[in-house]
């Protein structure tokens, strides 16, 4: 008799957990952040399994943050299930008509401990969530992903909306932060390339090491 494997969310940092990659969002990784100023935040959507639903019901869910448009079909089901506010950049929100949401343009302050930053490029309304704890944590969605060597970088994919805007968004993040304000990255996909690590450490050093001019110069049409 085959045993059913139950994959529970794993801790990655204090009060930050990640879910197993979600097939419905092309291997996307969702996170749960416990104990922010507005309560528990779900960043993107994990698989809507019985185990994940039970876990989220037990922990309590106060808001859902969306970093990009992949897998928006799941958002309706999650909001119907948990009845909590949805926070999303305005250029993604139009794809969810008649769904109650909080939208923003350039940035959105979630009280004083979390902020959403518009980082267009992968999709028109891609965003990163910055959390003021542990020396600074940036949840990057698909804006910055580990490459095959485990180094975080912007990756030009078949679904990339606008490559040069994505590189400009990376430059803005690099200008915005410093080693004292950005310690960790939590990417929204490709987490298997981290090879057992659950976050990207020394995040600002990796960001500063990116050669964006080189990325621009060698870009060719996909």
């Amino acid at each position: 008799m085959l045993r059913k494997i139950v994959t529970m969310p794993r801790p990655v940092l204090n009060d930050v957990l990640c879910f197993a990659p979600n097939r419905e969002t092309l291997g996307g990784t969702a996170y749960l952040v416990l104990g922010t100023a507005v309560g528990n935040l779900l960043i993107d959507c994990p698989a809507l399994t019985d185990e994940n639903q039970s876990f989220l019901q037990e922990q309590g869910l106060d808001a859902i943050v969306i970093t990009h448009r992949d897998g928006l079909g799941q958002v309706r089901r999650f909001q119907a299930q948990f009845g909590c506010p949805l926070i999303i950049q305005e250029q993604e929100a139009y794809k969810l008509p008649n769904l109650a949401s909080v939208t923003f343009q350039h940035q959105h302050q979630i009280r004083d401990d979390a902020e959403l930053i518009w980082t267009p490029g992968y999709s028109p309304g891609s965003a990163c969530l910055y959390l003021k704890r542990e020396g600074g944590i940036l949840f990057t969605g698909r804006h910055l992903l580990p490459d095959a060597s485990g180094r975080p970088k912007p990756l030009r994919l078949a679904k990339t909306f606008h490559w040069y805007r994505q590189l400009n968004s990376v430059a803005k993040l690099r200008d915005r932060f410093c080693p004292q304000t950005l310690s960790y990255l939590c990417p929204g996909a490709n987490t298997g390339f981290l090879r057992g690590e659950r976050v990207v450490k020394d995040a600002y050093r990796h960001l500063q090491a990116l050669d964006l001019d080189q990325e621009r110069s060698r870009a060719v049409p996909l």
Side-chain angles (χ1 to χ4, degrees), residues 101-114:
S101 59
V102 176
T103 63
F104 67 98
Q105 185 177 13
H106 295 290
Q107 60 190 43
H108 177 73
Q109 193 76 36
I110 307 175
R111 298 283 178 94
D112 60 352
D113 61 343

Side-chain angles (χ1 to χ4, degrees), residues 25-165:
T25 57
L26 305 176
T29 298
Y31 295 87
L32 179 67
V33 181
L34 302 174
T36 69
V38 294
N40 297 339
L41 295 178
L42 180 65
I43 303 171
D44 297 318
C45 294
L48 197 60
T49 63
D50 291 341
E51 291 81 10
N52 285 343
Q53 289 184 70
S54 296
F55 179 81
L56 289 169
Q57 291 283 10
E58 179 181 340
Q59 296 294 324
L61 189 57
D62 298 283
I64 302 173
V65 172
I66 301 299
T67 64
H68 57 83
R69 63 179 52 180
D70 289 356
L72 287 184
Q74 281 196 311
V75 175
R76 290 184 179 279
R77 288 181 281 162
F78 265 86
Q79 193 174 51
Q81 179 74 23
F82 296 100
C84 57
L86 171 69
I87 308 174
I88 187 170
Q89 207 277 338
E90 61 186 13
Q91 293 187 72
E92 312 291 34
Y94 84 94
K95 299 179 80 64
L96 295 169
N98 304 317
L99 194 66
S101 59
V102 176
T103 63
F104 67 98
Q105 185 177 13
H106 295 290
Q107 60 190 43
H108 177 73
Q109 193 76 36
I110 307 175
R111 298 283 178 94
D112 60 352
D113 61 343
E115 182 181 8
L116 272 163
I117 305 164
W118 181 41
T119 51
Y122 173 74
S123 68
S126 290
C128 295
L129 177 71
Y130 177 64
L131 197 63
K132 295 179 181 178
R133 61 172 71 166
E134 303 282 341
I137 309 168
L138 190 67
F139 297 86
T140 62
R142 293 184 187 263
H143 177 59
L144 290 166
L145 296 175
D147 64 9
S149 300
R151 293 187 294 267
K153 61 187 301 185
L155 298 180
R156 195 169 188 230
L157 308 172
K159 296 186 70 174
T160 299
F161 163 68
H162 198 294
W163 179 236
Y164 294 113
R165 289 186 188 179

Side-chain angles (χ1 to χ4, degrees), residues 186-206:
C186 291
N190 289 15
T191 50
F193 287 145
L194 296 179
R195 293 174 173 80
E197 295 288 341
R198 298 180 183 179
V199 296
V200 177
K201 301 175 182 177
D202 202 6
Y204 188 78
R205 178 180 63 82
H206 287 290

